[in-house]
Amino acid sequence: MADKTHIFNLIKKAYETQNLSLDECEEVLKSEEYDDELFTLANLARVKFSKKDVHLKALIEISNYCHNSCFYCGLRRENSCIKRYKLSKNQILSTTQNAINLGYKTVVLQSGESKIYSTDEMCEIISSIHKLGARITLSLGEKSFEEYKAYKNAGANRYLLRIETTDTNLYKKLHPHMSHKNRFLALENLQNLGYETGSGIIVGLPNQSEKMIAKDILFFKEKNFDMIGVGPLIPCENTPLEKFKSGDFKLSLKVMALIRLLMPQINIPATTAMETLRKNGRLKALQSGANVVMPAIAEYEYRKNYFIYPNKATKNEGLKEQICAISSQIYDAGFCVSKQNGDSVYFQNRQIYG
Ligand code: 5AD
């Protein structure tokens, strides 16, 4: 009979050595016996490096135009049921200023993948935000090396680009007309340009196995990303996956916690998808290794059309009410809102020690 404590020993090993083999990661993801211990140790690992700090980052969904056709995403170009929008430079700057006034140190500019903003226009927006004193994260999809470089020179600090899955066959099925190779290359370019680089996956994609997820996790570790976002699939109407089942909340949480054990110094968001799928999902994520929350702060009139999936945990409330509600959730969970600039401990150490 297999040793009953085998899985617990693997979790402990991950905590102590920050290393597990592919098979070991897969075993942890497949077993259910020691989930609570996994979450507890992931929390300990996060407290060890990031203390009780939670970074709040203001997500501004600047446009929902997209030329891609990802099978899961409501922004896909074939979806004619959503009203498309593009925020102007002034709208983005005034939203940023409001966020800064409320204490946000970082704005995250996110959009579908499109050329709706020219490179020059985006650079102007970035340098104006830079002058306002906020750190700038971009999440605008795949761009050329030159565009990433121009954004960086204009003042961008960080970039988020999820690989979604490292399994090429699965990627191909879900992302028509897109190149997996190009996505890997984009991530490499971002890292080479000195961005604090984030990636991530969706958990619960059709035919995605625990082994595939284990490979994703080891890919993140091998590439030394600074931030990893994990969220369950939420089926979205008017997409090919609309009738598909949601990703498993517990498995998503386990993936996140295991990443925390193997990469204790990085930033890990408690994703909106977690909160959307499960009431208090954000809180549970914060208690299981996550250390970042990114509330969407664009005006509701626009934000409600950033329809990557339904029931996105977003309410029509003022920025002040929103930050109060989230802050009290954070304090209730036993954490505090960070006064730092939002860099990961891992990134800070790299700046100091190379
Ligand atoms: N369910 C869960 N996550 C989704 N994303 C897009 N659509 C969905 C969905 N239906 C995620 C993708 C993308 C990020 C911005 O949102 O991982 O990179």
Side-chain angles (χ1 to χ4, degrees), residues 80-180:
S80 51
C81 300
I82 58 167
K83 195 171 159 205
R84 303 283 170 171
Y85 70 87
K86 172 193 177 185
L87 298 189
S88 68
K89 179 182 166 190
N90 282 345
Q91 286 173 312
I92 297 172
L93 290 183
S94 67
T95 308
T96 299
Q97 188 59 62
N98 290 340
I100 292 172
N101 294 346
L102 286 169
Y104 281 104
K105 308 270 190 289
T106 293
V107 288
V108 183
L109 305 185
Q110 190 176 79
S111 70
E113 196 173 292
S114 82
K115 294 195 184 307
I116 196 92
Y117 295 93
S118 68
T119 308
D120 285 349
E121 204 178 358
M122 188 48 70
C123 286
E124 266 184 43
I125 293 169
I126 294 167
S127 63
S128 305
I129 296 181
H130 186 66
K131 284 184 200 126
L132 295 178
R135 309 276 294 175
I136 302 157
T137 302
L138 301 176
S139 178
L140 312 172
E142 291 172 35
K143 305 280 174 189
S144 67
F145 180 86
E146 280 66 34
E147 279 166 295
Y148 285 153
K149 190 171 172 188
Y151 299 158
K152 186 87 184 26
N153 290 339
N157 307 96
R158 315 187 184 111
Y159 207 103
L160 305 177
L161 182 72
R162 287 189 178 179
I163 193 70
E164 315 294 0
T165 170
T166 58
D167 187 276
T168 299
N169 285 329
L170 180 57
Y171 186 88
K172 268 192 193 154
K173 283 186 190 138
L174 300 171
H175 305 90
H177 327 297
M178 288 176 77
S179 148
H180 207 202

Side-chain angles (χ1 to χ4, degrees), residues 19 26 46 60 116 126 150 170 185 238 259 299 321-322 335 343 353:
N19 271 300
E26 188 186 355
R46 127 345 156 230
I60 309 179
I116 196 92
I126 294 167
L170 180 57
L185 180 68
N238 306 309
I259 292 172
E299 281 193 34
E321 290 74 27
Q322 183 191 45
F335 297 101
D343 285 342
Y353 306 112

Side-chain angles (χ1 to χ4, degrees), residues 59 61 70-75 110-111 139 160-165 175 183 200-203 205 229-237 239 241 247 273-274 306-310 312:
L59 175 64
E61 293 154 330
C70 306
F71 268 33
Y72 43 81
C73 183
L75 302 194
Q110 190 176 79
S111 70
S139 178
L160 305 177
L161 182 72
R162 287 189 178 179
I163 193 70
E164 315 294 0
T165 170
H175 305 90
R183 205 157 183 90
I201 55 165
I202 300 179
V203 170
L205 293 168
V230 173
L233 174 75
I234 298 173
C236 181
E237 59 231 52
T239 69
L241 297 191
M274 297 255 197
Y306 200 80
F307 204 82
I308 42 186
Y309 47 76
K312 240 173 54 181

